[in-house]
Amino acid sequence: MGRDVAADRRAEIRRKNAERQYLDGSRVWSPDIREEAESRLILHKAFSVASPEQYRTANLRAQGYSFKETAQMQGIQVKQARRLLEELRKICTHLYI
């Protein structure tokens, strides 16, 4: 019984402040609906001009697979997977600049 009620209250206040700071810092900014629609349109146009290999590679990367896993799933080399995505990036850049 070394702690008194005041110490417990201060500890509880610190805990609540820490929780509040965490929640304030973890809030994610929600994008504007127009920006979201525009980004979807950009992806749609990019995939419409992409080759089937580029589409599959980009799709797997978007799902979170690494370059190595993506290349293994498609039966290609990692260098080729990187090159396919680099070419797709260049196409997208030329479409929207």
Side-chain angles (χ1 to χ4, degrees):
M1 285 189 71
R3 290 178 30 168
D4 61 352
V5 175
D8 287 340
R9 177 154 171 71
R10 287 190 303 271
E12 182 66 18
I13 289 171
R14 283 193 305 270
R15 184 189 64 79
K16 285 183 179 180
N17 285 338
E19 284 180 359
R20 189 175 306 113
Q21 286 176 348
Y22 173 77
L23 290 175
D24 289 344
S26 66
R27 289 198 177 115
V28 179
W29 173 78
S30 60
D32 184 22
I33 193 162
R34 289 173 291 200
E35 290 177 10
E36 187 176 336
E38 184 178 346
S39 64
R40 286 180 186 231
L41 181 62
I42 289 170
L43 285 175
H44 178 72
K45 276 189 166 182
F47 284 144
S48 68
V49 297
S51 69
E53 295 86 15
Q54 288 172 326
Y55 178 80
R56 285 193 301 270
T57 304
N59 195 15
L60 289 170
R61 287 290 291 150
Q63 292 176 22
Y65 291 103
S66 68
F67 275 107
K68 185 176 180 180
E69 293 169 330
T70 302
Q72 287 175 349
M73 289 178 171
Q74 290 193 356
I76 60 176
Q77 295 178 356
V78 176
K79 190 174 183 179
Q80 185 179 359
R82 288 183 191 273
R83 190 173 59 244
L84 286 170
L85 288 181
E86 179 63 24
E87 290 170 359
L88 184 60
R89 185 192 65 78
K90 287 179 183 177
I91 291 170
C92 292
T93 304
H94 289 295
L95 283 174
Y96 297 101
I97 289 185

